[in-house]
Short mmCIF file of all heavy atoms in Angstrom, two decimals:
data_model
loop_
_atom_site.label_atom_id
_atom_site.label_comp_id
_atom_site.label_asym_id
_atom_site.label_seq_id
_atom_site.Cartn_x
_atom_site.Cartn_y
_atom_site.Cartn_z
N LEU A 26 4.16 11.80 -0.84
CA LEU A 26 3.64 10.88 -1.84
C LEU A 26 2.86 9.77 -1.13
O LEU A 26 3.41 9.07 -0.28
CB LEU A 26 4.80 10.28 -2.64
CG LEU A 26 4.48 9.35 -3.79
CD1 LEU A 26 3.68 10.08 -4.87
CD2 LEU A 26 5.77 8.78 -4.39
N VAL A 28 0.86 6.25 -1.53
CA VAL A 28 0.84 5.13 -2.46
C VAL A 28 -0.18 4.09 -1.99
O VAL A 28 -0.05 3.53 -0.90
CB VAL A 28 2.23 4.49 -2.59
CG1 VAL A 28 2.23 3.48 -3.75
CG2 VAL A 28 3.31 5.55 -2.82
N PHE A 73 7.58 -3.94 -8.60
CA PHE A 73 8.00 -2.81 -7.79
C PHE A 73 8.87 -1.84 -8.58
O PHE A 73 8.70 -0.61 -8.49
CB PHE A 73 8.77 -3.30 -6.56
CG PHE A 73 7.96 -4.11 -5.59
CD1 PHE A 73 8.59 -4.85 -4.60
CD2 PHE A 73 6.58 -4.13 -5.65
CE1 PHE A 73 7.85 -5.60 -3.69
CE2 PHE A 73 5.83 -4.87 -4.76
CZ PHE A 73 6.47 -5.61 -3.78
N PHE A 76 6.59 0.12 -10.99
CA PHE A 76 5.79 1.11 -10.27
C PHE A 76 6.66 2.30 -9.83
O PHE A 76 6.26 3.46 -9.93
CB PHE A 76 5.16 0.48 -9.02
CG PHE A 76 4.03 -0.47 -9.32
CD1 PHE A 76 3.99 -1.73 -8.71
CD2 PHE A 76 2.99 -0.14 -10.16
CE1 PHE A 76 2.95 -2.61 -8.95
CE2 PHE A 76 1.94 -1.01 -10.41
CZ PHE A 76 1.93 -2.27 -9.80
N ASN A 77 7.87 2.00 -9.36
CA ASN A 77 8.71 3.07 -8.84
C ASN A 77 9.35 3.91 -9.94
O ASN A 77 9.68 5.08 -9.72
CB ASN A 77 9.77 2.49 -7.90
CG ASN A 77 9.18 2.26 -6.51
OD1 ASN A 77 8.35 3.05 -6.06
ND2 ASN A 77 9.57 1.19 -5.85
N ALA A 78 9.51 3.34 -11.13
CA ALA A 78 9.92 4.17 -12.25
C ALA A 78 8.86 5.22 -12.54
O ALA A 78 9.17 6.39 -12.82
CB ALA A 78 10.17 3.31 -13.49
N LEU A 80 6.67 6.38 -10.28
CA LEU A 80 6.58 7.32 -9.15
C LEU A 80 7.74 8.31 -9.15
O LEU A 80 7.54 9.51 -8.89
CB LEU A 80 6.53 6.54 -7.84
CG LEU A 80 5.27 5.69 -7.63
CD1 LEU A 80 5.36 4.91 -6.33
CD2 LEU A 80 4.00 6.54 -7.65
N THR A 81 8.94 7.86 -9.43
CA THR A 81 10.06 8.81 -9.50
C THR A 81 9.90 9.73 -10.70
O THR A 81 10.28 10.91 -10.64
CB THR A 81 11.40 8.08 -9.56
OG1 THR A 81 11.40 7.13 -10.64
CG2 THR A 81 11.69 7.35 -8.25
N MET A 84 7.59 12.36 -9.52
CA MET A 84 8.33 13.30 -8.67
C MET A 84 9.15 14.26 -9.51
O MET A 84 9.20 15.47 -9.23
CB MET A 84 9.22 12.54 -7.69
CG MET A 84 8.46 11.76 -6.62
SD MET A 84 9.52 10.67 -5.63
CE MET A 84 10.57 11.88 -4.78
N ALA A 92 10.94 13.23 -1.10
CA ALA A 92 9.58 13.27 -0.56
C ALA A 92 9.48 12.34 0.64
O ALA A 92 10.26 11.39 0.79
CB ALA A 92 8.57 12.85 -1.61
N VAL A 94 7.25 9.43 1.92
CA VAL A 94 6.44 8.47 1.19
C VAL A 94 5.64 7.64 2.18
O VAL A 94 6.21 7.02 3.09
CB VAL A 94 7.31 7.54 0.31
CG1 VAL A 94 6.41 6.59 -0.49
CG2 VAL A 94 8.18 8.37 -0.64
N GLY A 100 1.11 -0.77 -1.71
CA GLY A 100 1.78 0.52 -1.72
C GLY A 100 2.88 0.63 -0.68
O GLY A 100 3.88 1.32 -0.90
N ALA A 101 2.71 -0.05 0.45
CA ALA A 101 3.77 -0.05 1.48
C ALA A 101 5.00 -0.79 0.97
O ALA A 101 6.13 -0.35 1.17
CB ALA A 101 3.24 -0.68 2.76
N MET A 102 4.79 -1.93 0.30
CA MET A 102 5.92 -2.68 -0.24
C MET A 102 6.60 -1.90 -1.37
O MET A 102 7.84 -1.92 -1.49
CB MET A 102 5.47 -4.05 -0.72
CG MET A 102 4.99 -4.97 0.38
SD MET A 102 6.19 -5.19 1.74
CE MET A 102 7.59 -5.90 0.86
N ILE A 103 5.81 -1.21 -2.18
CA ILE A 103 6.40 -0.36 -3.22
C ILE A 103 7.22 0.75 -2.57
O ILE A 103 8.33 1.06 -3.02
CB ILE A 103 5.29 0.23 -4.11
CG1 ILE A 103 4.62 -0.88 -4.93
CG2 ILE A 103 5.84 1.31 -5.03
CD1 ILE A 103 3.37 -0.43 -5.66
N ALA A 104 6.71 1.33 -1.50
CA ALA A 104 7.44 2.39 -0.80
C ALA A 104 8.73 1.87 -0.18
O ALA A 104 9.76 2.56 -0.17
CB ALA A 104 6.54 3.01 0.27
N ILE A 105 8.69 0.65 0.37
CA ILE A 105 9.90 0.04 0.92
C ILE A 105 10.95 -0.14 -0.18
O ILE A 105 12.13 0.17 -0.01
CB ILE A 105 9.54 -1.30 1.59
CG1 ILE A 105 8.76 -1.04 2.88
CG2 ILE A 105 10.80 -2.12 1.89
CD1 ILE A 105 8.08 -2.28 3.43
N ASP A 106 10.51 -0.66 -1.33
CA ASP A 106 11.40 -0.82 -2.47
C ASP A 106 11.95 0.53 -2.93
O ASP A 106 13.15 0.66 -3.21
CB ASP A 106 10.65 -1.51 -3.60
CG ASP A 106 11.50 -1.77 -4.82
OD1 ASP A 106 11.69 -0.82 -5.64
OD2 ASP A 106 11.98 -2.91 -4.98
N LEU A 107 11.11 1.54 -2.97
CA LEU A 107 11.54 2.87 -3.40
C LEU A 107 12.60 3.43 -2.46
O LEU A 107 13.60 4.02 -2.91
CB LEU A 107 10.33 3.81 -3.44
CG LEU A 107 10.57 5.27 -3.79
CD1 LEU A 107 11.19 5.40 -5.17
CD2 LEU A 107 9.26 6.06 -3.72
N ALA A 108 12.41 3.23 -1.15
CA ALA A 108 13.36 3.76 -0.17
C ALA A 108 14.74 3.12 -0.32
O ALA A 108 15.76 3.76 -0.02
CB ALA A 108 12.83 3.54 1.24
N THR A 109 14.77 1.87 -0.77
CA THR A 109 16.04 1.17 -0.96
C THR A 109 16.60 1.38 -2.36
O THR A 109 17.80 1.58 -2.54
CB THR A 109 15.85 -0.34 -0.70
OG1 THR A 109 15.37 -0.52 0.64
CG2 THR A 109 17.14 -1.09 -0.87
N ARG A 110 15.73 1.35 -3.36
CA ARG A 110 16.16 1.49 -4.76
C ARG A 110 16.63 2.92 -5.05
O ARG A 110 17.60 3.13 -5.80
CB ARG A 110 15.01 1.13 -5.69
CG ARG A 110 15.39 1.00 -7.15
CD ARG A 110 14.19 0.59 -7.99
NE ARG A 110 13.61 -0.68 -7.56
CZ ARG A 110 14.02 -1.87 -8.00
NH1 ARG A 110 15.01 -1.95 -8.87
NH2 ARG A 110 13.44 -2.97 -7.56
N HIS A 111 15.95 3.89 -4.46
CA HIS A 111 16.28 5.30 -4.69
C HIS A 111 16.37 6.01 -3.34
O HIS A 111 15.53 6.87 -3.02
CB HIS A 111 15.23 5.97 -5.57
CG HIS A 111 15.02 5.32 -6.90
ND1 HIS A 111 15.92 5.40 -7.93
CD2 HIS A 111 13.99 4.55 -7.37
CE1 HIS A 111 15.47 4.73 -8.98
NE2 HIS A 111 14.31 4.20 -8.67
N PRO A 112 17.36 5.68 -2.52
CA PRO A 112 17.40 6.22 -1.15
C PRO A 112 17.46 7.73 -1.09
O PRO A 112 16.96 8.34 -0.13
CB PRO A 112 18.66 5.57 -0.55
CG PRO A 112 19.49 5.17 -1.73
CD PRO A 112 18.51 4.79 -2.80
N GLY A 113 18.03 8.35 -2.10
CA GLY A 113 18.12 9.80 -2.09
C GLY A 113 16.81 10.50 -2.37
O GLY A 113 16.71 11.72 -2.19
N ARG A 114 15.79 9.75 -2.78
CA ARG A 114 14.51 10.36 -3.10
C ARG A 114 13.52 10.29 -1.94
O ARG A 114 12.45 10.90 -2.00
CB ARG A 114 13.87 9.67 -4.33
CG ARG A 114 14.72 9.54 -5.56
CD ARG A 114 15.23 10.87 -6.10
NE ARG A 114 14.18 11.79 -6.49
CZ ARG A 114 13.71 11.91 -7.73
NH1 ARG A 114 14.17 11.11 -8.69
NH2 ARG A 114 12.78 12.81 -8.03
N VAL A 115 13.83 9.52 -0.90
CA VAL A 115 12.89 9.29 0.20
C VAL A 115 13.45 9.87 1.49
O VAL A 115 14.45 9.39 2.02
CB VAL A 115 12.59 7.79 0.38
CG1 VAL A 115 11.62 7.56 1.53
CG2 VAL A 115 12.02 7.20 -0.92
N LEU A 118 9.68 7.39 5.70
CA LEU A 118 8.72 6.40 5.24
C LEU A 118 7.62 6.26 6.28
O LEU A 118 7.89 6.28 7.49
CB LEU A 118 9.44 5.06 5.06
CG LEU A 118 8.73 3.97 4.26
CD1 LEU A 118 8.55 4.39 2.81
CD2 LEU A 118 9.55 2.68 4.32
N MET A 228 13.81 -4.95 -4.49
CA MET A 228 14.82 -4.51 -3.52
C MET A 228 14.17 -4.37 -2.14
O MET A 228 14.13 -3.30 -1.54
CB MET A 228 15.48 -3.22 -3.98
CG MET A 228 16.26 -3.38 -5.28
SD MET A 228 17.24 -1.94 -5.75
CE MET A 228 18.52 -1.96 -4.47
N THR A 229 13.63 -5.48 -1.69
CA THR A 229 12.98 -5.52 -0.37
C THR A 229 13.66 -6.55 0.53
O THR A 229 13.04 -7.09 1.44
CB THR A 229 11.49 -5.88 -0.53
OG1 THR A 229 11.36 -7.14 -1.21
CG2 THR A 229 10.75 -4.81 -1.31
N GLN A 235 15.91 4.78 6.21
CA GLN A 235 15.26 6.05 6.53
C GLN A 235 14.41 5.92 7.80
O GLN A 235 13.91 4.83 8.12
CB GLN A 235 14.37 6.51 5.37
CG GLN A 235 15.13 6.90 4.11
CD GLN A 235 15.33 5.73 3.17
OE1 GLN A 235 15.33 4.58 3.60
NE2 GLN A 235 15.49 6.02 1.88
#
Side-chain angles (χ1 to χ4, degrees):
L26 183 63
V28 190
F73 295 166
F76 288 132
N77 279 324
L80 294 177
T81 54
M84 291 172 65
V94 182
M102 294 306 300
I103 292 170
I105 290 166
D106 182 278
L107 177 60
T109 301
R110 190 178 301 273
H111 303 288
R114 308 301 299 266
V115 179
L118 195 65
M228 296 188 69
T229 57
Q235 292 91 335

